[in-house]
Protein backbone atom coordinates (compact mmCIF):
# COMPACT_ATOMS: atom_id res chain seq x y z
CA UNK A 1 0.00 0.00 0.00
CA UNK A 2 2.94 2.33 0.62
CA UNK A 3 3.93 2.03 -3.02
CA UNK A 4 0.58 3.49 -3.98
CA UNK A 5 1.02 6.54 -1.79
CA UNK A 6 4.64 6.97 -2.71
CA UNK A 7 6.27 7.13 0.70
CA UNK A 8 8.62 4.47 1.93
CA UNK A 9 8.52 5.26 5.62
CA UNK A 10 5.15 3.60 6.43
CA UNK A 11 3.39 6.92 6.75
CA UNK A 12 1.40 6.32 3.55
CA UNK A 13 0.05 3.05 4.86
CA UNK A 14 -1.31 4.77 7.96
CA UNK A 15 -2.94 7.44 5.82
CA UNK A 16 -4.41 4.82 3.49
CA UNK A 17 -5.79 2.80 6.38
CA UNK A 18 -7.30 5.91 7.91
CA UNK A 19 -8.92 6.91 4.60
CA UNK A 20 -10.23 3.37 4.02
CA UNK A 21 -11.59 3.18 7.56
CA UNK A 22 -13.77 6.23 7.05
CA UNK A 23 -15.42 5.36 3.75
CA UNK A 24 -19.16 4.68 4.13
CA UNK A 25 -18.77 1.13 2.80
CA UNK A 26 -15.93 0.30 5.16
CA UNK A 27 -17.83 1.70 8.15
CA UNK A 28 -20.86 -0.42 7.34
CA UNK A 29 -18.63 -3.44 6.74
CA UNK A 30 -16.97 -2.99 10.10
CA UNK A 31 -20.29 -2.64 11.89
CA UNK A 32 -21.65 -5.68 10.11
CA UNK A 33 -18.59 -7.78 10.87
CA UNK A 34 -18.72 -6.76 14.54
CA UNK A 35 -22.43 -7.67 14.65
CA UNK A 36 -21.69 -10.99 12.97
CA UNK A 37 -18.90 -11.81 15.44
CA UNK A 38 -21.31 -11.26 18.32
CA UNK A 39 -24.41 -12.97 16.89
CA UNK A 40 -23.36 -15.12 13.90
CA UNK A 41 -26.48 -14.00 12.07
CA UNK A 42 -24.80 -13.04 8.77
CA UNK A 43 -22.73 -16.21 8.39
CA UNK A 44 -25.22 -18.68 9.86
CA UNK A 45 -28.63 -17.14 10.42
CA UNK A 46 -29.24 -15.43 7.07
CA UNK A 47 -28.39 -18.51 4.96
CA UNK A 48 -30.50 -20.67 7.25
CA UNK A 49 -33.46 -18.29 6.92
CA UNK A 50 -33.03 -18.39 3.12
CA UNK A 51 -32.97 -22.19 3.04
CA UNK A 52 -36.00 -22.40 5.34
CA UNK A 53 -38.00 -19.96 3.23
CA UNK A 54 -37.08 -21.82 0.04
CA UNK A 55 -38.03 -25.16 1.59
CA UNK A 56 -41.35 -23.82 2.84
CA UNK A 57 -42.11 -22.35 -0.58
CA UNK A 58 -41.27 -25.56 -2.46
CA UNK A 59 -43.17 -27.73 0.04
CA UNK A 60 -46.21 -25.46 -0.22
CA UNK A 61 -46.19 -25.68 -4.02
CA UNK A 62 -45.83 -29.48 -3.96
CA UNK A 63 -48.62 -29.96 -1.39
CA UNK A 64 -50.89 -27.55 -3.30
CA UNK A 65 -50.37 -29.53 -6.51
CA UNK A 66 -51.13 -32.78 -4.71
CA UNK A 67 -54.42 -31.39 -3.38
CA UNK A 68 -55.29 -30.10 -6.86
CA UNK A 69 -54.67 -33.52 -8.39
CA UNK A 70 -56.68 -35.22 -5.63
CA UNK A 71 -59.61 -32.84 -6.14
CA UNK A 72 -59.57 -33.42 -9.92
CA UNK A 73 -59.47 -37.18 -9.39
CA UNK A 74 -62.40 -37.07 -6.96
CA UNK A 75 -64.34 -34.84 -9.35
CA UNK A 76 -63.74 -37.16 -12.31
CA UNK A 77 -64.68 -40.24 -10.26
CA UNK A 78 -67.85 -38.51 -9.08
CA UNK A 79 -68.77 -37.53 -12.63
CA UNK A 80 -68.12 -41.09 -13.82
CA UNK A 81 -70.28 -42.54 -11.04
CA UNK A 82 -73.03 -40.05 -11.86
CA UNK A 83 -72.97 -40.96 -15.56
CA UNK A 84 -72.98 -44.68 -14.70
CA UNK A 85 -75.93 -44.15 -12.37
CA UNK A 86 -77.82 -42.23 -15.07
CA UNK A 87 -77.14 -45.02 -17.57
CA UNK A 88 -78.31 -47.60 -15.05
CA UNK A 89 -81.53 -45.70 -14.38
CA UNK A 90 -82.16 -45.27 -18.11
CA UNK A 91 -81.63 -49.00 -18.64
CA UNK A 92 -83.97 -49.84 -15.74
CA UNK A 93 -86.65 -47.55 -17.21
CA UNK A 94 -86.21 -49.18 -20.61
CA UNK A 95 -86.49 -52.66 -19.12
CA UNK A 96 -89.54 -51.72 -17.09
CA UNK A 97 -91.20 -50.25 -20.19
CA UNK A 98 -90.49 -53.37 -22.27
CA UNK A 99 -91.39 -55.85 -19.53
CA UNK A 100 -95.07 -55.86 -20.45
CA UNK A 101 -94.34 -56.87 -24.04
CA UNK A 102 -92.09 -59.71 -23.02
CA UNK A 103 -93.33 -63.26 -23.29
CA UNK A 104 -91.68 -66.62 -22.89
CA UNK A 105 -91.64 -68.71 -26.07
CA UNK A 106 -90.23 -72.11 -26.69
CA UNK A 107 -87.40 -72.46 -29.14
CA UNK A 108 -88.23 -73.98 -32.47
CA UNK A 109 -87.47 -77.71 -32.65
CA UNK A 110 -84.42 -77.48 -35.00
CA UNK A 111 -82.48 -74.71 -33.19
CA UNK A 112 -79.41 -75.30 -31.09
CA UNK A 113 -79.45 -73.43 -27.80
CA UNK A 114 -76.24 -73.46 -25.86
CA UNK A 115 -75.85 -72.18 -22.37
CA UNK A 116 -72.52 -70.53 -21.91
Amino acid sequence: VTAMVGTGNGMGEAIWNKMWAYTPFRRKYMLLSRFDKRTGFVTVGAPMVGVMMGTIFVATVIIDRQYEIRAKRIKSVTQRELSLQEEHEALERFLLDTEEDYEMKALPPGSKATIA
Side-chain angles (χ1 to χ4, degrees):
V1 176
T2 57
M4 293 177 13
V5 176
T7 61
N9 58 5
M11 194 69 170
E13 187 174 345
I15 293 171
W16 175 257
N17 286 341
K18 193 172 185 179
M19 284 184 350
W20 175 244
Y22 289 108
T23 60
F25 172 76
R26 178 66 178 180
R27 192 175 307 127
K28 290 176 184 170
Y29 175 77
M30 289 170 58
L31 287 173
L32 189 63
S33 66
R34 196 175 332 142
F35 173 72
D36 187 43
K37 284 179 185 174
R38 281 184 288 157
T39 62
F41 180 76
V42 176
T43 54
V44 178
M48 185 180 71
V49 167
V51 168
M52 284 175 50
M53 288 176 61
T55 304
I56 290 170
F57 176 76
V58 169
T60 302
V61 168
I62 290 172
I63 290 172
D64 185 48
R65 297 283 184 222
Q66 286 180 345
Y67 278 116
E68 264 183 45
I69 291 170
R70 182 182 294 166
K72 284 182 183 178
R73 189 178 327 128
I74 289 172
K75 185 178 177 183
S76 67
V77 168
T78 305
Q79 287 176 345
R80 200 171 350 162
E81 287 177 350
L82 183 62
S83 66
L84 285 173
Q85 185 179 3
E86 288 174 353
E87 287 179 19
H88 182 71
E89 289 172 0
L91 186 60
E92 279 183 343
R93 275 185 267 127
F94 172 75
L95 290 175
L96 287 175
D97 291 344
T98 58
E99 190 175 280
E100 297 168 359
D101 299 336
Y102 183 77
E103 61 182 78
M104 295 286 284
K105 290 186 177 180
L107 288 174
S111 67
K112 293 182 178 179
T114 58
I115 299 175

